[in-house]
Amino acid sequence: SNINTPYAGVVFDIAEKLSLYSSYTEIFQPQNARDANNQRLDPVEGSNIELGIKGDFFNEAVTASLAVFKVEKDNVAERDPNFTAPLPDGSFPMRGVKGTNSKGYELELTGKPLDTLDLYFSYTHNTSEQADGSAFATYLPDDMLRFSAIYRLKGSLAPVTLGTNINWQSKLTQPNVGPNGETAEQPAYTLVNLMASYDITEQLIARFNVRNLFDKKYYSSIDFYNQGFFGAPRSVELSLSYSW
């Protein structure tokens, strides 16, 4: 059957380059998680409301926005602690949690202070709770920072572009996953990526990428029962691409 998910939004111009906006949408997300009887859990249902302000500054060299949001969901899947044996497909039984909510805010800045330089920065804070006020989904970070810069060199040489991407996030935890109820933890960490490209001709471009520059060892995920998954180690890639 067809499912409608209503959405509404409004924008109010405070000034020529400054606007307030608000939006509301309902959530309906089918999921593959299964319970102890190997039955698929009901879809996640809920709502998302957001209020923000956005503006252009310094002759549109900088765009800034600040938004606050609240997401309410029912039937959110979590590991069922009452069952330790896996299901026939190897996954572990899950249960739906009612009355969860996530709330927080996000600051975002994009800028072009020079014709040859693009900058991006964002900070997000988000916390999740169950209906009784206890913490929920602690395997997701409460805080995240994102920064990127792209610089294009000018001159007599063929065009060269340099870039960096820096990501930081706060610690992750997952209670009661050890054999004696221990809590798994991934401390806060930072990842740095670098890139460079060289336009040999209009059709032929050489690219150089370094991911995880400082070879940070970290768990990218600790939300699976008694297991964690390491993030990718440092990697270096040189490639050529040709278009016609």
Side-chain angles (χ1 to χ4, degrees):
S1 61
N2 295 326
I3 300 295
N4 294 318
T5 53
Y7 170 85
V10 62
V11 178
F12 177 71
D13 292 332
I14 302 173
E16 182 180 355
K17 297 181 180 180
L18 190 64
S19 301
L20 279 174
Y21 67 90
S22 180
S23 66
Y24 171 86
T25 184
E26 293 189 358
I27 299 169
F28 184 89
Q29 298 174 330
Q31 53 186 336
N32 292 321
R34 294 179 176 273
D35 62 18
N37 296 317
N38 202 25
Q39 298 298 308
R40 183 173 295 176
L41 297 184
D42 292 336
V44 176
E45 297 186 68
S47 63
N48 181 6
I49 187 168
E50 182 174 327
L51 176 65
I53 185 169
K54 183 176 182 178
D56 295 317
F57 307 94
F58 306 109
N59 294 322
E60 299 185 0
V62 175
T63 298
S65 65
L66 176 64
V68 294
F69 56 86
K70 184 174 183 180
V71 181
E72 296 181 337
K73 292 181 179 181
D74 285 329
N75 302 324
V76 179
E78 74 165 6
R79 175 79 172 86
D80 192 334
N82 299 311
F83 300 92
T84 58
L87 297 172
D89 64 357
S91 65
F92 287 89
M94 308 292 283
R95 63 182 181 183
V97 180
K98 295 185 178 296
T100 71
N101 74 82
S102 301
K103 52 189 175 183
Y105 55 88
E106 180 176 46
L107 170 66
E108 186 174 273
L109 299 171
T110 58
K112 195 177 183 65
L114 304 171
D115 289 341
T116 55
L117 180 63
D118 293 313
L119 299 175
Y120 171 82
F121 171 83
S122 71
Y123 169 67
T124 304
H125 175 75
N126 178 64
T127 56
S128 299
E129 295 179 342
Q130 299 190 62
D132 61 4
S134 59
F136 183 72
T138 56
Y139 53 83
L140 299 174
D142 285 351
D143 301 280
M144 293 189 296
L145 288 173
R146 299 288 183 263
F147 172 79
S148 65
I150 297 177
Y151 182 69
R152 292 169 294 278
L153 295 176
K154 287 187 173 180
S156 58
L157 296 175
V160 173
T161 301
L162 303 175
T164 185
N165 174 259
I166 302 172
N167 302 319
W168 173 88
Q169 67 177 48
S170 59
K171 73 175 182 179
L172 313 176
T173 61
Q174 180 70 310
N176 303 315
V177 294
N180 299 308
E182 294 90 347
T183 295
E185 180 176 317
Q186 167 58 58
Y189 63 89
T190 302
L191 298 179
V192 179
N193 305 311
L194 300 177
M195 66 79 67
S197 68
Y198 178 70
D199 295 358
I200 301 171
T201 68
E202 289 187 0
Q203 291 80 30
L204 185 62
I205 301 175
R207 292 186 175 88
F208 180 70
N209 289 279
V210 181
R211 299 179 180 88
N212 194 358
L213 175 65
F214 299 107
D215 200 23
K216 177 67 178 178
K217 189 175 183 179
Y218 66 99
Y219 289 109
S220 62
S221 174
I222 57 172
D223 61 331
F224 191 74
Y225 178 68
N226 75 8
Q227 295 184 36
F229 298 92
F230 282 116
R234 178 171 55 221
S235 64
V236 178
E237 180 183 82
L238 177 62
S239 63
L240 290 173
S241 62
Y242 183 82
S243 59
W244 62 90

